[in-house]
Amino acid sequence: MAVMLNTLNTPPVAARMHTVQTSPILAMAAAAQALKAEGKPVISLSIGVPGFLPPAHVHEAAHTAIAADRGDYLPGRGSPALVEAWRTALAEKGFHYKATEVITQMGGKGALFNMFMALLNVGDEVIIPAPYWTSYPEMVRLAGGVPVMPLAPAQKNYKLTAAQLQAALTPRTRMVVFNNPSNPTGMLYSAAETAEIANVLAAHPHLWVVSDDIYDHLVYSADAAESEALRAPHVLDTHQSLRERTVIIQSVSKTYGMPGWRVGMAAGPEPLIDAMLTLSSQSHTHVPAVTMAAAAAALTGPQDFLQVQRARLHRQRGLVLGALSAMGWPCPVPQGAFYVFPDITQLLGKVSAHGTPLTSDVVLANALLHEAWVATVPGSAFGCPTSVRLSYAGPEAELAEAMARIAQWAAKLH
């Protein structure tokens, strides 16, 4: 959905706004909400809400922060408690950063936005493996960069190979984005696959590396109990030498059920963090004190709730994959996050029972919304127009009902 520009006799908006789009994920979520407000029985599998609230001690920390409020500004880098909590979380993964090498931002999205703004010059190319999270290319364009999006199709398990990465590099390449596990596919690069990617990155010392780790605590194996020992492989596991040109992006949104609290973090070389701090000083100043207190409590408090949530998500993943298999929709098995990304190629060209010709993934997603009352996100939003994304993080009963509706709708295609 393109940004609506002013057509009245007022001065025009900036030219850059002609190149950026509203997030298709948020647009589909808004469409679903509008239909629900009209009384339609819509079930949304569109937006990436984790489906659980943060542990009680997180809310308690927020209440304590409100009671102790003095109305002061806080450091733009973040509260001392949250800065230390973030450094400790990094150290537990084997990555050690000084306080001057980390920063708190307005959500993971805010961290990515300021990072792109701080690093990209006009015309710089950024390699973003497709399928990709929808906001990556839009942020790159806003920063003056050029997104380059090599596609890894379903037949390749939606994972970019080292050979594809190497082929995509040009003299103008400035940065490579690596998201593991992936949004929108849920696919997890193995340690060997991650090492192969890291080897290519290490051979090109002029490149920045963006490691978006937002789903790194939501990793599963075939057995739910075994998932407790799993950890998402990281490019820094293979080449610590990449540290001086790697930016780690994290957030409390997905792991702790806190997307609305808008707390993200970044870690990287001090000159970059300083540049991001300068940008923050001219925009939001700092993340709200209450949400920083809550985020610090989330990072430092008991983590046993994660075992419960991973087991739930593991079970719900099985529910969705079973339904997709019964419908004959091919779907690589995700090992992380809480999305499935089935291939819908075989459905394109068919006609729904309501007479809708399924000419594209966008038409198909809209048909599911208005005919089956299930909100999904078309794959073209992620650079892959032969798929759709479904989130399986919501209530299990709703999820089962949504998959039943999709199955009934699909059975009547002709």
Side-chain angles (χ1 to χ4, degrees):
M1 179 185 295
V3 173
M4 296 299 292
L5 302 180
N6 196 337
T7 58
L8 302 177
N9 294 323
T10 55
V13 299
R16 73 176 67 90
M17 297 309 299
H18 292 273
T19 66
V20 68
Q21 297 185 344
T22 300
S23 167
I25 301 173
L26 296 181
M28 182 60 78
Q33 285 295 330
L35 287 171
K36 290 182 74 171
E38 294 174 7
K40 302 297 189 295
V42 172
I43 297 175
S44 182
L45 308 183
S46 58
I47 200 165
V49 175
F52 59 91
L53 291 174
H57 65 269
V58 172
H59 284 166
E60 291 168 3
H63 284 294
T64 299
I66 292 172
D69 179 42
R70 296 171 53 189
D72 295 335
Y73 287 108
L74 293 181
R77 188 182 306 280
S79 68
L82 182 52
V83 166
E84 288 309 303
W86 173 217
R87 291 179 63 214
T88 299
L90 288 164
E92 289 172 352
K93 297 176 66 173
F95 309 144
H96 300 279
Y97 287 84
K98 298 181 295 184
T100 53
E101 296 176 312
V102 301
I103 192 170
T104 302
Q105 299 277 265
M106 292 290 283
K109 184 177 283 188
L112 284 162
F113 186 91
N114 279 347
M115 179 273 302
F116 286 129
M117 291 296 292
L119 291 180
L120 295 179
N121 295 307
V122 174
D124 285 344
E125 293 179 355
V126 179
I127 296 178
I128 304 171
Y132 48 74
W133 178 54
T134 57
S135 292
Y136 291 144
E138 303 302 324
M139 290 181 183
V140 167
R141 292 187 185 102
L142 281 170
V146 179
V148 176
M149 299 166 284
L151 176 64
Q155 295 75 18
K156 299 289 187 180
N157 287 327
Y158 298 124
K159 291 191 278 189
L160 193 75
T161 65
Q164 280 182 291
L165 174 58
Q166 181 65 57
L169 295 173
T170 76
R172 297 189 70 90
T173 306
R174 170 79 162 165
M175 181 184 295
V176 176
V177 176
F178 188 65
N179 177 212
N180 193 38
S182 162
N183 175 6
T185 68
M187 300 307 291
L188 179 75
Y189 285 80
S190 68
E193 291 165 337
T194 303
E196 290 174 356
I197 296 291
N199 288 337
V200 174
L201 298 172
H204 297 274
H206 65 288
L207 295 178
W208 280 95
V209 182
V210 179
S211 184
D212 185 347
D213 299 351
I214 192 168
Y215 293 97
D216 69 342
H217 283 79
L218 300 177
V219 176
Y220 326 104
S221 71
D223 182 277
E226 293 177 3
S227 296
E228 290 307 302
L230 292 182
R231 172 181 175 275
H234 203 279
V235 291
L236 293 184
D237 294 337
T238 302
H239 287 284
Q240 277 288 326
S241 62
L242 289 172
R243 183 191 184 281
E244 294 311 310
R245 49 193 177 92
T246 294
V247 189
I248 297 176
I249 303 294
Q250 189 52 274
S251 164
V252 296
S253 294
K254 311 302 182 179
T255 302
Y256 297 98
M258 300 174 67
W261 294 76
R262 309 314 303 142
V263 182
M265 295 85 74
E270 190 169 336
L272 166 63
I273 298 302
D274 284 346
M276 294 175 67
L277 189 58
T278 297
L279 287 170
S280 297
S281 76
Q282 299 296 352
S283 56
H284 63 264
T285 306
H286 64 75
V287 175
V290 171
T291 60
M292 284 198 286
L299 290 172
T300 59
Q303 305 293 303
D304 52 336
F305 78 98
L306 270 175
Q307 182 175 355
V308 175
Q309 294 304 329
R310 273 194 290 256
R312 179 183 69 88
L313 292 171
H314 185 278
R315 182 176 65 252
Q316 295 184 186
R317 178 190 68 170
L319 185 160
V320 173
L321 289 174
L324 292 173
S325 177
M327 290 188 290
W329 292 20
C331 184
V333 177
Q335 293 177 286
F338 40 70
Y339 310 107
V340 292
F341 204 60
D343 188 327
I344 47 90
T345 303
Q346 75 280 8
L347 304 179
L348 300 179
K350 294 188 176 184
V351 179
S352 77
H354 290 71
T356 305
L358 304 181
T359 55
S360 71
D361 63 311
V362 175
V363 173
L364 186 147
N366 277 298
L368 282 172
L369 177 60
H370 292 92
E371 298 174 6
W373 306 121
V374 177
T376 61
V377 184
S380 55
F382 311 98
C384 187
T386 55
S387 301
V388 293
R389 191 190 78 170
L390 290 71
S391 170
Y392 56 81
E396 188 166 351
E398 284 192 0
L399 186 63
E401 171 62 21
M403 297 312 297
R405 291 183 190 180
I406 294 173
Q408 292 168 5
W409 176 86
K412 297 176 183 178
L413 298 176
H414 59 278

